[in-house]
Amino acid sequence: MKTLLCSVALSCLFAQGLHAQSGIAIIPKPQEINIGVGKFQLNAQTTLSFKNCDVKDVSLFVEQLRKVTHYPLPVKKQASNSIEFRLDPKLSIPNKEGYQLEVSDRGVVIIAKSSDGLFNATQSLRQLLPTAFEGSNPTKEISWNIPAVKIKDYPRYHWRGYMKDVSRTFFDVKTVKKYLDVMALYKMNTFHWHLTDDQGWRIEIKKYPKLTMENATVFHRTEKQPAERSGFYTQEEIKEVVQYARERNITIVPEIDVPGHSWPTILAYPELGVNKNSYPNHIFPFVSSWGYWGNQFTPNTLDPTKEFTYEFLNNVFTEIANLFPGSYIHFGGDEVRHDLWEKEAHVQDFMKQHQIKDVKALQSYFVQRVSDIIVQKGKNPIGWNDILADAENLPKSTAIMSWLGEEAIKEATKDGFKA
């Protein structure tokens, strides 16, 4: 039995070795992949051709290919030694992001239903090329070989997301672009940009300049943090990143976390707070929370009873909606300390006046108001799964994102929410 198991294991390793030697290692794994014999070799005579599409549909890939190979790659029709891009709306693929890619010793043929599919095909082709393709200055001596293969691929999920929390650790524009490049390579299409939290407000809002003052964007000197971990993005930088993402088939979903996780907001505009707590009067790394507050949760939240709070959020989300062309805006809603609301007499009076039974229902009141504001901007609202605590009173237009596992998603979909 041991001999049999060893033989099976060795066979598997041998098969994996052959697969690795073939050079076919595409992530995510395509739906169908058939490895052929031989290879296609790009050279100075290789051309590009387009049918029902244009070079602009794959411009990023073409620009990089010309740059790294030092080949002219002119656009012209020829029977062989070419890379052909073709749009065919009748292609037998389940969705518009799918494609077919065939590499033989004669050349490369890519067929897709849409420009999204063409883009995804170029990312697979990018992975089939020698790794020098990803270098900034490869030498001219490289043999640009692509292994013979037939691929039919399409994504299982429309939303293929990655979240970057730049509140807790700020990343400059150059670094964010690197993440977007890697996302594109792996055909991820949604960048969830967590722009605000207790550890910092990271986006310029013209109407509220105090949000980007030092105590709301720079870790206090006593924390001894590297300078690059602090900062914020100007609106011009945001536009630059949005455009960069768009060129890589990536939509950005901005997150402005309210009514909890709003420490820098309350430092900048104390009148937004539900109480007078503003200690310490600066931002600091997450791990320092216990030293200042005795736990990780903010000892103040936005006040859900003040009209000024909703006026503030309306103005903030107006600028956010104008900066981000995607269809979603995330408003957080997680880890709100409702006990803070229970302690405030003015909050209890508000709840009695409006016949709000408890603080969970007050959270839903807040979520409804914020969701309405976001919908008025022509966007779809998303909140974390914490807002399901009073699900029956939540507007069904609010999508749910879970940070607490799959059970929350099951609960959300059962209650009719997009999740």
Side-chain angles (χ1 to χ4, degrees):
M1 185 66 176
K2 284 182 181 176
T3 305
L4 176 61
L5 288 173
C6 285
S7 298
V8 170
L10 286 169
S11 297
C12 289
L13 286 169
F14 181 69
Q16 288 174 357
L18 285 177
H19 185 71
Q21 287 168 21
S22 71
I24 309 299
I26 295 173
I27 301 173
K29 183 181 177 183
Q31 301 287 347
E32 296 177 24
I33 181 164
N34 294 295
I35 299 169
V37 177
K39 61 181 182 280
F40 172 62
Q41 183 168 1
L42 270 78
N43 57 41
Q45 286 72 49
T46 303
T47 63
L48 308 176
S49 70
F50 297 87
K51 186 174 181 181
N52 299 327
C53 57
D54 192 83
V55 68
K56 71 177 185 302
D57 293 313
V58 288
S59 58
L60 277 180
F61 175 76
V62 170
E63 286 168 16
Q64 181 70 358
L65 194 59
R66 284 172 174 159
K67 177 183 172 185
V68 299
T69 62
H70 306 284
Y71 300 148
L73 300 171
V75 176
K76 130 183 193 187
K77 263 197 171 294
Q78 63 185 37
S80 62
N81 195 14
S82 71
I83 302 175
E84 179 184 344
F85 299 92
R86 194 189 308 167
L87 278 184
D88 180 2
K90 295 180 180 177
L91 181 67
S92 179
I93 292 278
N95 65 51
K96 72 182 187 71
E97 293 187 87
Y99 64 90
Q100 285 183 183
L101 186 159
E102 183 172 355
V103 181
S104 68
D105 57 2
R106 290 170 57 82
V108 179
V109 178
I110 291 170
I111 311 173
K113 275 187 172 180
S114 71
S115 57
D116 291 345
L118 289 178
F119 181 87
N120 288 333
T122 63
Q123 299 314 296
S124 290
L125 195 52
R126 183 177 157 191
Q127 294 187 42
L128 290 170
L129 281 157
T131 54
F133 181 79
E134 304 300 328
S136 56
N137 191 27
T139 64
K140 294 184 180 181
E141 286 72 38
I142 290 170
S143 293
W144 295 100
N145 297 329
I146 307 173
V149 67
K150 285 184 181 178
I151 293 172
K152 185 175 183 179
D153 196 19
Y154 52 88
R156 288 178 63 200
Y157 300 105
H158 171 66
W159 183 298
R160 303 182 299 283
Y162 174 79
M163 184 180 84
K164 177 58 67 182
D165 182 346
V166 296
S167 171
R168 293 184 170 103
T169 300
F170 182 74
F171 292 88
D172 63 18
V173 167
K174 184 180 177 182
T175 305
V176 170
K177 286 180 177 180
K178 287 181 180 179
Y179 279 98
L180 292 169
D181 285 337
V182 176
M183 283 181 67
L185 177 62
Y186 297 125
K187 307 179 184 80
M188 302 177 85
N189 64 358
T190 307
F191 181 55
H192 177 177
W193 210 357
H194 189 88
L195 290 161
T196 74
D197 212 297
D198 292 328
Q199 285 67 47
W201 183 282
R202 306 299 183 191
I203 180 169
E204 178 188 24
I205 300 296
K206 303 278 191 185
K207 192 167 182 67
Y208 299 107
K210 289 183 183 177
L211 289 170
T212 47
M213 288 176 66
E214 186 171 320
N215 68 335
T217 60
V218 178
F219 289 134
H220 197 260
R221 56 181 171 73
T222 56
E223 297 291 339
K224 299 186 170 128
Q225 292 294 305
E228 60 268 21
R229 286 194 177 182
S230 296
F232 68 92
Y233 306 104
T234 66
Q235 292 201 0
E236 286 309 305
E237 287 175 321
I238 293 287
K239 290 173 187 174
E240 181 184 339
V241 173
V242 167
Q243 178 60 29
Y244 194 86
R246 185 191 286 120
E247 290 167 356
R248 285 151 184 78
N249 265 27
I250 296 169
T251 300
I252 298 180
V253 175
E255 180 178 351
I256 305 296
D257 203 343
V258 293
H261 289 303
S262 298
W263 191 246
T265 318
I266 291 164
L267 293 182
Y269 296 95
E271 60 271 31
L272 290 167
V274 75
N275 59 46
K276 301 295 183 187
N277 197 328
S278 62
Y279 172 79
N281 189 34
H282 56 75
I283 59 166
F284 48 85
F286 176 74
V287 291
S288 298
S289 302
W290 286 265
Y292 288 113
W293 298 331
N295 60 59
Q296 72 184 66
F297 301 111
T298 326
N300 201 345
T301 74
L302 298 187
D303 192 329
T305 72
K306 291 177 183 170
E307 279 306 306
F308 176 67
T309 299
Y310 302 105
E311 179 189 333
F312 168 83
L313 292 174
N314 181 63
N315 291 330
V316 167
F317 285 127
T318 294
E319 295 193 31
I320 294 293
N322 289 336
L323 287 167
F324 296 94
S327 58
Y328 284 97
I329 291 177
H330 204 306
F331 63 86
D334 61 312
E335 297 187 318
V336 182
R337 283 191 58 186
H338 294 136
D339 63 312
L340 300 174
W341 297 355
E342 291 171 335
K343 293 173 184 174
E344 296 297 325
H346 77 279
V347 174
Q348 296 303 313
D349 290 343
F350 179 88
M351 288 168 64
K352 284 175 191 168
Q353 265 182 339
H354 292 79
Q355 298 181 320
I356 297 172
K357 63 178 181 179
D358 56 29
V359 287
K360 286 182 180 178
L362 181 58
Q363 166 92 349
S364 285
Y365 168 83
F366 177 87
V367 168
Q368 286 177 41
R369 294 287 304 268
V370 174
S371 291
D372 287 345
I373 287 169
I374 291 171
V375 168
Q376 286 164 18
K377 313 299 174 198
K379 306 291 185 179
N380 298 314
I382 307 182
W384 291 111
N385 55 269
D386 306 56
I387 66 176
L388 288 170
D390 186 39
E392 63 185 56
N393 291 313
L394 285 179
K396 295 299 181 190
S397 61
T398 302
I400 305 297
M401 185 176 280
S402 173
W403 66 276
L404 287 174
E406 64 184 41
E407 288 306 314
I409 291 299
K410 290 177 184 174
E411 182 187 345
T413 53
K414 180 188 66 163
D415 291 332
F417 294 95
K418 186 166 183 177

